[in-house]
C-alpha cells in the first residue's frame, strides 16, 4: 500500500537495498537523510534506542479504530508471540502502538531478521498504518521506505506490508490482519521470499511532489552527457501544479516564459553507480542535501557539478544568455550494480544556471549598475556552501508522453507489432465506424502520419455512433477527427482532406497521399469506393471495414501484402461466404431504418446503438491491428448474438485465380470458387455436371467477379461424356441467392466439367452453348462467362454478347 502522510509531512521515498556482502566491498553507496551516517554500512552497524516523540497514554485512551482493534487482539490473543509494549498519542488524530512480534526466521536468514522484532505502528486518520522497526540496525531490505524527516520518531524506515492502494485494502484490515501482514513481511524477508505474489519486485519508486510528462526524445536529451546544452520548456498542466509538460525548447515559438507560462530549463545528468538497489530514502529539498547524499570513494558531487556546468557554458555558443537564465533539471541516473539496471529520477531547481554557477564559484554575479549578465570566471572561486544549501530542489518523477511507442506498449503490443502499426496511412471515410476504429488504433500506437479523407459534415443523427461531439455538429468530419487524434497523441501528424475519394478528378494531395501511404483503410461503407480502390494501381495494401445493414455485425476485408487478392475479389468471396455459410444467411437482411428528417426520400439512417457500434468498431480495430502482423489476405465477420456474445467467421482466401478479358471487359474467378466447383465434380464423377454462375457485374469498371457456381438442378442429366443442365427450381435458387446478397450478384453464365484426362478447351458443344448464351445476353450489354472444370485444370472463358 502507498504510504500517505499528513500535509505536514514530506512525501515518502521508496528505499530498497540488497544485503551487503562482507567479501564484496561496495562501489558507491547511496544514503540520504541518515543524519550523521554517511554509508549504509555505518547505518546497519550501530543500533540506538527507538524514541517516539509523543505522550505515553493508556491503551484504552487510543481513539483510532484500527489501533484499538490491534490492542484488543494483542491483549486478548497475543500470548508470548505478540507483546504490547507501549501506546502513544502524538496528535489529535494520531496514535502509535509499539509491539514485539515473534518471527519464523531461519538459522541462516537472507536478511538478519531477529526471532523477536519490535515495531511501532503509526495510525493517522484515514491513512494507511505506518509500520516502523524500532532498532536502528534493522537490515535494509526490499519493500521498505525511508521515513520523512518530520515523522515524530528517531526510526528511519517503514515496512511496505501491502502493495495495494489503501482505498482498496482498508476494508480488509483489522487488528488480526495487521499482525498477519507484519509477521508475513518479516518471515518472507528473512527467507528471501519478499518478492512474491503479494509484493512484486519493483524498480525505483519515488512518489514526488511533481511529475513531468515528456517524450522519449526529451527524456534521452535530458540524460545526455556530452555537455551540449539541451533546452526544454516546462508548463504546469493542472491547477495544483503537480503535473508538468516538457517540450523541446526548439519546438516552442518565441520565449517559453512569455504568454503560456512556459519556463526554460536545461538538462544536466549525474550518474552514480550504487551497490544497493532502490531509490533515495528522502528527497533532497536543497542542493546541499544532494551534495551530502551522493558520496563515494571516487565521486564528488561538487566537482562533478562544476565540471558539468563548465561544459554547458563552453558549448553554449549563441545560447549562452539563454543558458544563464534557464533553470536546471538534474537527471540523477543510479546504475544498480546488483540488479544491473538503471534507476533514475529528476530534480528540478528553483534557481537558474547562472545562480547555481555563482554558488559553485564559476561565475561572477550580474552587475546591475553596469548592466552585465553572469560572467564566467577565468579561475574558479571557492564554493559557497551556504548558497548551495539555499538552492531549492523539487523531486520529479517522469511520465512518458503518450506517443506511438508508449501507446503500443500500454496496449500490450510487442515491438514488432508496434512497428507494423506505426505506418503512413490514408483513411477513406471517418463516419461511425471510421472515426471509432482509427481513434482506437491511434490509442494503440498506430500511424505516424494519417490522411483523413471525407467530404461530409457532422450531422446531429451521427452523434449516436460517431466519436465526435455535439459542439462539432456542422463541422468537417475529417478536420474534427484529425484534431481529436492529435489531441490524443501529439506525436501524430493528421491531415484532413475535405473531399470524396470516389469523385473524379481527385486532388493532387490525395493522389500523392495514396501513392506514399503504407496502408489504406477504406471505411466508406461504399461498394463503389471499395471497387474503385481495388483498381487503384499506385498504392500499397488496403483494408476495408463496414457494418452490415442491420448493425449487428462488422466485416473486415484485408488484402494480402502483395495485393494478389484485391478488395473487389474479397467482396466476391465475402458474398460467396454469405451464400455458403448457413449462419450468415441473415447477415444482409433488410435493415432497421429510421427517418431523420422530412422532405427527402433518402432522409433515413440505420438504427444501431452506440454500444453496439463501439463493440463492433473495437472488434474491427483489433482485427485490423492483428492482420497487419501477417502478409495474407483475410475476411473476418464478427456478429453479435442476442445473448451478447460475438460469433466470428474467418476466411483465408487462396491466391490462385484466373483472369480472362474480352474487349474492355475483365472477368476473374478465385481459386476458392474453383475448388468448390471441383468438389461438385468429384461428387458427380464419373458423370459430368455443371450449373449456373452468379457474380458481380460492374459496368462502370467493366469488371465481372465470379462469386458462386450453383450446383446442378435436380432435373439435370449427366453422363461420362455429356451434361445437360436442368431448370427445375433454378429461378428460385437464383432469386434466393440474390436475396442473401441484397441483389449484389446476378446471373453471368454457366459452368460445367470435363472428364478426367481431357483438355479444358471448349468442345464443339461448348461453342454452341456460348453462341446461345451470347444471343440470350444480347440485351444485357455485357459479356457472357463460361467456366470449364477439369480434374486438374480449369478454363475461364469470356465472350462478348451478340451485337
Amino acid at each position: 500500500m502507498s504510504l500517505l502522510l499528513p500535509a505536514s509531512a514530506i512525501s515518502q521515498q521508496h528505499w530498497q537495498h540488497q544485503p551487503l556482502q562482507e567479501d564484496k566491498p561496495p562501489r558507491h553507496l547511496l544514503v540520504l537523510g541518515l543524519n550523521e551516517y554517511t554509508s549504509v554500512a555505518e547505518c546497519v552497524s550501530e543500533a540506538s534506542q527507538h524514541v517516539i516523540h509523543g505522550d505515553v497514554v493508556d491503551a484504552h485512551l487510543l481513539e483510532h479504530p484500527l489501533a484499538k482493534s490491534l490492542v484488543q487482539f494483542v491483549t486478548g490473543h497475543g500470548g508470548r508471540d505478540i507483546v504490547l509494549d507501549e501506546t502513544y498519542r502524538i496528535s489529535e488524530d494520531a496514535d502509535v502502538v509499539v509491539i514485539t512480534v515473534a518471527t519464523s526466521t531461519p538459522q541462516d536468514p537472507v536478511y538478519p531478521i531477529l526471532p523477536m522484532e519490535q515495531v511501532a505502528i503509526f495510525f493517522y486518520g484515514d491513512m494507511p498504518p505506518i509500520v516502523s522497526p524500532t532498532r536502528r540496525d534493522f537490515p535494509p531490505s526490499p519493500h521498505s521506505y525511508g521515513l520523512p524527516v518530520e515523522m515524530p520518531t528517531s526510526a528511519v524506515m517503514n515496512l511496505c506490508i501491502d502493495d495495494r492502494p489503501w482505498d482498496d485494502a482498508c476494508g480488509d484490515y483489522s487488528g488480526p490482519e495487521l499482525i498477519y501482514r507484519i509477521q508475513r513481511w518479516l518471515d518472507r524477508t528473512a527467507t528471501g521470499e519478499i518478492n512474491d505474489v503479494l509484493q512484486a519486485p519493483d524498480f525505483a519508486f519515488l512518489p514526488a511532489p511533481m511529475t513531468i510528462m515528456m517524450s522519449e526524445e526529451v527524456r534521452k536529451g535530458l540524460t545526455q552527457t556530452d555537455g551540449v546544452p539541451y533546452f526544454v520548456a516546462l508548463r504546469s498542466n493542472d491547477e495544483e501544479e503537480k503535473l508538468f509538460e516538457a517540450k523541446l525548447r526548439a519546438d516552442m515559438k518565441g520565449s517559453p516564459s512569455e504568454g503560456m507560462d512556459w519556463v526554460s530549463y536545461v538538462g544536466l545528468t549525474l550518474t552514480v553507480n550504487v551497490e544497493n538497489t532502490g531509490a533515495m530514502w528522502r528527497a533532497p529539498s536543497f542542493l546541499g542535501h544532494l551534495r551530502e547524499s551522493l558520496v563515494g570513494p571516487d565521486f564528488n558531487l561538487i566537482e562533478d557539478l562544476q565540471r558539468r556546468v563548465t561544459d554547458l557554458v563552453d558549448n553554449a555558443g549563441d545560447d549562452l544568455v539563454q543558458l544563464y537564465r534557464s533553470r536546471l533539471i538534474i537527471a540523477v541516473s543510479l546504475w544498480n550494480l546488483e540488479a544491473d539496471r538503471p534507476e533514475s529520477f529528476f530534480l528540478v531547481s528553483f534557481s537558474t544556471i547562472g545562480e547555481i554557477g555563482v554558488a559553485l564559484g564559476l561565475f561572477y554575479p550580474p552587475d546591475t549598475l553596469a548592466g552585465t549578465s553572469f560572467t564566467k570566471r577565468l579561475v574558479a572561486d571557492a564554493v559557497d556552501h551556504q548558497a548551495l544549501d539555499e538552492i531549492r530542489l523539487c523531486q520529479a518523477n517522469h511520465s512518458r508522453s503518450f506517443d506511438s511507442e508508449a501507446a503500443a506498449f500500454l496496449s500490450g503490443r510487442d515491438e514488432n507489432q508496434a512497428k507494423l502499426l506505426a505506418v503512413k496511412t490514408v483513411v477513406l471515410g471517418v463516419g461511425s465506424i471510421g472515426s471509432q476504429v482509427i481513434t482506437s488504433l491511434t490509442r494503440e500506437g498506430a500511424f505516424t502520419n494519417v490522411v483523413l479523407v471525407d467530404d461530409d459534415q457532422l450531422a446531429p443523427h451521427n452523434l449516436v455512433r460517431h466519436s465526435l461531439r455535439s459542439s462539432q455538429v456542422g463541422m468537417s468530419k475529417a478536420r474534427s477527427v484529425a484534431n481529436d487524434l492529435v489531441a490524443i497523441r501529439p506525436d501524430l501528424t493528421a491531415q484532413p482532406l475535405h473531399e470524396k475519394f470516389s469523385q473524379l478528378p481527385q486532388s493532387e494531395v490525395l493522389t500523392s497521399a495514396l501513392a506514399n501511404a503504407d496502408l489504406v483503410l477504406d471505411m466508406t461503407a461504399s461498394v463503389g469506393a471499395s471497387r474503385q480502390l481495388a483498381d487503384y494501381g499506385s498504392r500499397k495494401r488496403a483494408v476495408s471495414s463496414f457494418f452490415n445493414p442491420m448493425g449487428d455485425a462488422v466485416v473486415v476485408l484485408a488484402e494480402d501484402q502483395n495485393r494478389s487478392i484485391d478488395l473487389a475479389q474479397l467482396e466476391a468471396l465475402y458474398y460467396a461466404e454469405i451464400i455458403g455459410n448457413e449462419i450468415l444467411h441473415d447477415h444482409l437482411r433488410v435493415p432497421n431504418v429510421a427517418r431523420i428528417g422530412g422532405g427527402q426520400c433518402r432522409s433515413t439512417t440505420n438504427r444501431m446503438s452506440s454500444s453496439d457500434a463501439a463493440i463492433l468498431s473495437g472488434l474491427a480495430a483489433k482485427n485490423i491491428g492483428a492482420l497487419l502482423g501477417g502478409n495474407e489476405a483475410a475476411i473476418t465477420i464478427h456478429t453479435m448474438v442476442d445473448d451478447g456474445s460475438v460469433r466470428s467467421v474467418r476466411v483465408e482466401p487462396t491466391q490462385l485465380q484466373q483472369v480472362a478479358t474480352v474487349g474492355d471487359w475483365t472477368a476473374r474467378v478465385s481459386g476458392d470458387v474453383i475448388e468448390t466447383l471441383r468438389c461438385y465434380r468429384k461428387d458427380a464423377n464419373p458423370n459430368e455436371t455443371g450449373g449456373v454462375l452468379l457474380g458481380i457485374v460492374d459496368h462502370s469498371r467493366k469488371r465481372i467477379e465470379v462469386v458462386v457456381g450453383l450446383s446442378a438442378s435436380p432435373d439435370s442429366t449427366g453422363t461420362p461424356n455429356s451434361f445437360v443442365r436442368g431448370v427445375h427450381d433454378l429461378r428460385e435458387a437464383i432469386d434466393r441467392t440474390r436475396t442473401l446478397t441484397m441483389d449484389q450478384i446476378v446471373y453471368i453464365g454457366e459452368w460445367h466439367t470435363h472428364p478426367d484426362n481431357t483438355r479444358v478447351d471448349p468442345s464443339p458443344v461448348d461453342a454452341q452453348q456460348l453462341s446461345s448464351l451470347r444471343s440470350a445476353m444480347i440485351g444485357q450489354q455485357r459479356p457472357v462467362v463460361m467456366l470449364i472444370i477439369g480434374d486438374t485444370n480449369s478454363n475461364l472463358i469470356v465472350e462478348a454478347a451478340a451485337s
Side-chain angles (χ1 to χ4, degrees):
M1 83 187 50
S2 302
L3 173 62
L4 300 176
L5 297 173
S8 60
I10 66 172
S11 300
Q12 82 286 2
Q13 308 307 320
H14 190 59
W15 182 57
Q16 181 174 315
H17 295 287
Q18 298 291 343
L20 297 176
Q21 306 293 329
E22 295 183 359
D23 58 345
K24 184 179 179 182
R27 309 275 184 91
H28 292 130
L29 298 175
L30 179 65
V31 179
L32 184 70
L34 294 181
N35 302 325
E36 69 274 16
Y37 299 111
T38 58
S39 73
V40 173
E42 291 177 350
C43 173
V44 300
S45 65
E46 181 172 329
S48 63
Q49 177 67 35
H50 178 75
V51 176
I52 302 295
H53 306 311
D55 299 326
V56 176
V57 296
D58 291 336
H60 71 274
L61 296 177
L62 298 177
E63 296 185 5
H64 195 282
L66 188 52
K68 292 195 289 185
S69 175
L70 174 63
V71 169
Q72 181 181 4
F73 176 73
V74 172
T75 55
H77 307 281
R80 293 182 298 176
D81 291 337
I82 312 169
V83 178
L84 179 65
D85 296 323
E86 292 175 317
T87 52
Y88 292 81
R89 167 50 60 105
I90 56 176
S91 68
E92 292 183 0
D93 63 343
D95 293 333
V96 183
V97 177
V98 181
I99 61 174
T100 299
V101 297
T103 68
S104 301
T105 183
Q107 290 185 347
D108 186 21
V110 176
Y111 294 89
I113 303 297
L114 301 179
M116 299 292 291
E117 288 286 0
Q118 188 183 64
V119 294
I121 303 105
F122 295 78
F123 300 91
Y124 284 96
D126 57 356
M127 305 298 181
I130 301 170
V131 181
S132 180
T134 60
R135 60 183 175 105
R136 285 297 293 271
D137 60 346
F138 189 85
S141 62
H143 300 284
S144 58
Y145 298 73
L147 290 176
V149 176
E150 286 85 351
M151 284 291 292
T153 176
S154 58
V156 294
M157 73 175 70
N158 167 52
L159 308 183
C160 178
I161 62 172
D162 194 334
D163 271 353
R164 296 176 296 171
W166 182 240
D167 286 344
D168 297 338
C170 61
D172 298 341
Y173 270 80
S174 61
E177 177 67 15
L178 184 56
I179 291 295
Y180 168 78
R181 292 276 179 172
I182 293 171
Q183 287 185 314
R184 283 284 294 152
W185 190 99
L186 293 168
D187 293 346
R188 288 183 292 119
T189 301
T191 59
E193 298 175 353
I194 184 63
N195 291 328
D196 61 5
V197 294
L198 294 177
Q199 290 173 297
D202 48 50
F203 292 83
F205 177 65
L206 294 168
M210 64 183 292
T211 296
I212 305 175
M213 297 184 301
M214 62 184 74
S215 67
E216 187 65 6
E217 176 189 6
V218 170
R219 188 197 67 80
K220 290 180 178 178
L222 288 174
T223 55
Q224 67 182 358
T225 58
D226 60 4
V228 177
Y230 188 83
F231 293 101
V232 298
L234 262 62
R235 182 184 67 175
S236 174
N237 271 35
D238 64 327
E239 295 180 356
E240 297 180 358
E241 295 192 343
K242 292 182 179 180
L243 183 64
F244 287 76
E245 177 184 5
K247 288 189 176 182
L248 185 62
R249 176 65 178 83
D251 294 338
M252 304 298 299
K253 296 180 180 179
S255 172
S257 59
E258 296 176 0
M260 295 290 289
D261 297 325
W262 290 95
V263 179
S264 181
Y265 284 81
V266 66
L268 182 148
T269 301
L270 298 176
T271 303
V272 187
N273 290 332
V274 292
E275 190 71 29
N276 53 308
T277 67
M280 293 191 294
W281 284 21
R282 300 162 183 168
S285 300
F286 299 92
L287 193 57
H289 291 179
L290 184 64
R291 180 191 70 228
E292 294 173 356
S293 61
L294 296 179
V295 295
D298 57 357
F299 178 80
N300 184 294
L301 174 67
I302 298 301
E303 293 178 359
D304 197 57
L305 271 176
Q306 288 176 319
R307 182 172 61 255
R308 296 303 313 283
V309 171
T310 299
D311 287 345
L312 291 175
V313 172
D314 291 343
N315 289 282
D318 295 338
D319 295 324
L320 184 59
V321 174
Q322 180 184 336
L323 176 67
Y324 284 145
R325 295 175 177 175
S326 298
R327 298 182 184 182
L328 184 63
I329 294 182
I330 302 175
V332 182
S333 179
L334 311 175
W335 189 266
N336 186 317
L337 299 175
E338 183 74 24
D340 192 29
R341 72 186 183 209
E343 297 173 356
S344 60
F345 57 94
F346 290 90
L347 296 169
V348 179
S349 77
F350 291 84
S351 302
T352 66
I353 285 284
E355 294 165 339
I356 294 172
V358 171
L360 290 171
L362 301 176
F363 307 153
Y364 291 107
D367 188 334
T368 55
L369 296 178
T372 61
S373 179
F374 297 96
T375 308
K376 181 182 176 182
R377 293 177 180 270
L378 296 179
V379 178
D381 196 9
V383 175
D384 187 341
H385 291 286
Q386 181 177 353
L388 285 181
D389 290 344
E390 294 176 355
I391 293 176
R392 290 179 58 204
L393 297 176
C394 181
Q395 181 187 319
N397 291 330
H398 86 274
S399 174
R400 183 169 176 176
S401 299
F402 195 67
D403 56 16
S404 174
E405 292 183 8
F409 173 76
L410 294 171
S411 299
R413 301 190 182 278
D414 61 30
E415 188 174 340
N416 291 331
Q417 289 175 313
K419 290 180 180 178
L420 291 168
L421 282 173
V423 294
K424 292 183 292 185
T425 304
V426 172
V427 179
L428 306 178
V430 287
S432 298
I433 185 170
S435 64
Q436 296 202 52
V437 166
I438 60 175
T439 298
S440 295
L441 289 173
T442 296
R443 294 181 188 277
E444 295 175 13
F447 321 135
T448 54
N449 303 77
V450 61
V451 177
L452 308 177
V453 183
D454 200 310
D455 69 333
D456 198 10
Q457 287 89 15
L458 185 70
H461 71 273
N462 296 144
L463 294 173
V464 71
R465 294 182 291 270
H466 208 281
S467 67
L468 297 178
R469 299 166 295 282
S470 59
S471 60
Q472 295 163 303
V473 168
M475 298 181 182
S476 163
K477 289 180 180 178
R479 188 173 298 110
S480 299
V481 172
N483 291 337
D484 282 1
L485 296 184
V486 175
I488 293 170
R489 261 202 21 235
D491 69 311
L492 177 66
T493 300
Q495 179 183 5
L497 288 182
H498 190 77
E499 66 177 280
K500 193 173 185 178
F501 167 73
S502 58
Q503 184 173 340
L504 299 176
Q506 293 175 346
S507 69
E508 292 184 5
V509 177
L510 177 55
T511 302
S512 175
L514 287 167
N516 294 317
D518 301 305
L519 174 70
V520 180
L521 295 180
D522 170 31
M523 303 287 174
T524 60
S526 165
V527 170
S530 178
R531 293 175 185 173
Q532 181 179 335
L533 183 60
D535 294 340
Y536 209 95
S538 56
R539 66 165 176 84
K540 295 184 180 178
R541 190 181 193 183
V543 178
S544 178
S545 187
F546 50 89
F547 298 135
N548 69 334
M550 278 300 296
D552 62 357
V554 66
V555 181
V556 178
L557 310 178
E559 296 178 338
D560 59 294
Q561 195 68 44
N562 298 323
R563 292 191 59 201
S564 58
I565 300 180
D566 60 32
L567 291 179
Q569 293 168 286
L570 290 169
E571 181 192 357
L573 292 170
Y574 161 60
Y575 293 142
E577 184 66 20
I578 293 172
I579 295 167
N581 192 333
E582 186 176 349
I583 66 174
L584 294 175
H585 281 184
D586 288 336
H587 178 74
L588 293 179
R589 66 189 183 277
V590 177
N592 188 358
V593 174
R595 181 171 293 277
I596 57 175
Q600 298 184 51
C601 63
R602 297 188 182 274
S603 296
T604 59
T605 186
N606 290 359
R607 300 179 66 187
M608 180 182 183
S609 70
S610 175
S611 56
D612 286 353
I615 292 171
L616 294 173
S617 296
L619 289 169
K622 186 176 183 65
N623 199 186
I624 293 170
L627 284 170
L628 296 183
N631 297 319
E632 305 305 318
I635 300 170
T636 308
I637 305 170
H638 299 291
T639 304
M640 295 186 62
V641 188
D642 292 339
D643 63 2
S645 61
V646 175
R647 181 182 64 227
S648 299
V649 173
R650 181 179 175 88
V651 178
E652 296 181 354
T654 64
Q655 294 187 1
L656 178 65
Q657 61 180 338
Q658 287 192 0
V659 180
T661 61
V662 57
D664 295 334
W665 282 85
T666 299
R668 298 188 298 186
V669 60
S670 72
D672 300 85
V673 173
I674 293 173
E675 187 60 32
T676 299
L677 299 183
R678 189 161 280 125
C679 290
Y680 293 157
R681 181 185 184 278
K682 182 179 179 181
D683 293 340
N685 256 354
N687 297 328
E688 291 189 23
T689 188
V692 301
L693 291 175
L694 305 179
I696 301 169
V697 178
D698 191 325
H699 286 269
S700 63
R701 298 168 53 244
K702 306 292 187 184
R703 296 285 191 273
I704 298 175
E705 302 286 348
V706 179
V707 172
V708 66
L710 298 184
S711 59
S713 302
D715 57 338
S716 302
T717 58
T719 71
N721 297 301
S722 66
F723 171 73
V724 178
R725 194 252 301 151
V727 296
H728 182 68
D729 288 340
L730 181 59
R731 172 52 58 189
E732 291 79 1
I734 293 174
D735 290 345
R736 183 169 57 252
T737 303
R738 291 192 59 175
T739 300
L740 292 177
T741 60
M742 292 188 72
D743 290 329
Q744 292 295 320
I745 62 176
V746 297
Y747 172 83
I748 59 174
E750 302 281 333
W751 74 274
H752 67 276
T753 64
H754 277 189
D756 291 347
N757 302 316
T758 62
R759 300 174 65 177
V760 290
D761 295 334
S763 67
V765 175
D766 295 336
Q768 292 178 3
Q769 186 184 31
L770 272 171
S771 178
S772 299
L773 286 173
R774 292 179 62 201
S775 299
M777 299 287 285
I778 190 171
Q780 299 297 320
Q781 300 179 349
R782 56 180 168 86
V784 296
V785 178
M786 176 177 286
L787 182 58
I788 302 173
I789 305 295
D791 52 351
T792 59
N793 297 321
S794 59
N795 189 6
L796 179 66
I797 304 165
V798 181
E799 292 279 350
S803 57

